[in-house]
Amino acid sequence: LKGISRIYGDGDTEVRALDNVDLTIKSGEIVALLGPSGSGKTTLLNIIAALDTPTAGEYSFIGNDVELGNVGKMTDFRKKNIGYIFQFFNLVGDLTALENTMLVQDLSGKRDKKYALELLERVGLKGLEDRFPSQMSGGQRQRVAIARALSSRPKMMLGDELTGNLDSETSIQVMKTLIEICRKEGMTVLFVTHDRSLTKYATRVLQLESGKIIRVHIPIRTNEDVIFTVTAPNGNLVSVDQISPN
């Protein structure tokens, strides 16, 4: 992303959700977005997913320009490249776990029942393929959502508060499952969270405020803790933080 801004309204009602953001994400990175409500996290995620069009700026993906503003091309880009996991699962209530998982495959023209079944097993839902969302716990439904997002083999996985409706223990289980699969598949991951403990799964943490990236956290893992060196976007060291990996 280069010079990305997203402005809503004008004059006295103008809101700068994103303000001249530059961001490069390398293939295979696991990046977490932190920040208060209204800081621009979800807006940034939606622009990367080609769900929203920036007011200004440029976006390229694996060397190719993404034509934001062309709805048809944005849709094609998402189908080919992006997996998205939502906070509220967004499962179809009258479809089974397997049918929900295969839904994205059908939309992207990559139907593969064998792979869908494999994903459900990998997220710990073997034997539950024929259950409907109403017959599953919150953690199980989020695991279906993960399998669904992975089912088209996207190059980048995006998550917007994907554990926000789960208890802390289930949140850790879900994140471990997602990161393990994405690492094995070589997928790039970008996720939004308010839960600082989940940043230990990231290779880089970006802190947003008022539509700008104000801090970059780089984790250094030890046997007992995860230590973050905190730098400003210009690379200057700001501080060193520490969190438990448990």
Side-chain angles (χ1 to χ4, degrees), residues 152-173:
S152 62
R153 294 183 170 89
K155 296 179 179 68
M156 175 175 274
M157 180 63 59
L158 306 178
D160 190 3
E161 296 288 358
L162 59 107
T163 63
N165 280 332
L166 307 176
D167 61 69
S168 57
E169 182 178 349
T170 305
S171 294
I172 291 172
Q173 293 173 350

Side-chain angles (χ1 to χ4, degrees), residues 30 183 196 199-205 216-231 237 239-245:
I30 301 172
R183 280 177 174 159
R196 184 173 173 77
T199 61
K200 63 176 174 274
Y201 297 106
T203 56
R204 184 162 49 126
V205 182
V216 181
H217 307 243
I218 307 297
I220 302 172
R221 288 166 174 81
T222 69
N223 291 333
E224 298 181 355
D225 297 285
V226 179
I227 300 172
F228 287 92
T229 61
V230 184
T231 64
L237 182 66
S239 65
V240 176
D241 294 342
Q242 189 167 326
I243 65 171
S244 169

Side-chain angles (χ1 to χ4, degrees), residues 150-221:
L150 290 164
S151 66
S152 62
R153 294 183 170 89
K155 296 179 179 68
M156 175 175 274
M157 180 63 59
L158 306 178
D160 190 3
E161 296 288 358
L162 59 107
T163 63
N165 280 332
L166 307 176
D167 61 69
S168 57
E169 182 178 349
T170 305
S171 294
I172 291 172
Q173 293 173 350
V174 166
M175 279 302 300
K176 282 183 176 179
T177 299
L178 173 64
I179 297 303
E180 178 183 330
I181 294 174
C182 287
R183 280 177 174 159
K184 286 183 178 179
E185 297 288 338
M187 293 179 189
T188 305
V189 182
L190 178 63
F191 68 95
V192 167
T193 184
H194 279 100
D195 186 348
R196 184 173 173 77
S197 70
L198 298 181
T199 61
K200 63 176 174 274
Y201 297 106
T203 56
R204 184 162 49 126
V205 182
L206 308 179
Q207 185 178 345
L208 276 73
E209 186 175 300
S210 300
K212 295 178 178 289
I213 298 172
I214 63 167
R215 296 285 189 276
V216 181
H217 307 243
I218 307 297
I220 302 172
R221 288 166 174 81

Side-chain angles (χ1 to χ4, degrees), residues 1 34-35 53 58 66 68 79 91 97-98 112 117 123 130 158 168 193 200 203-204 208 218 226 234 236 244:
L1 303 178
L34 286 177
T53 301
E58 301 174 357
V66 180
L68 298 173
K79 288 179 180 179
L91 300 180
L98 177 58
D112 187 343
L117 288 168
V123 299
D130 294 327
L158 306 178
S168 57
T193 184
K200 63 176 174 274
T203 56
R204 184 162 49 126
L208 276 73
I218 307 297
V226 179
N234 63 9
N236 293 332
S244 169

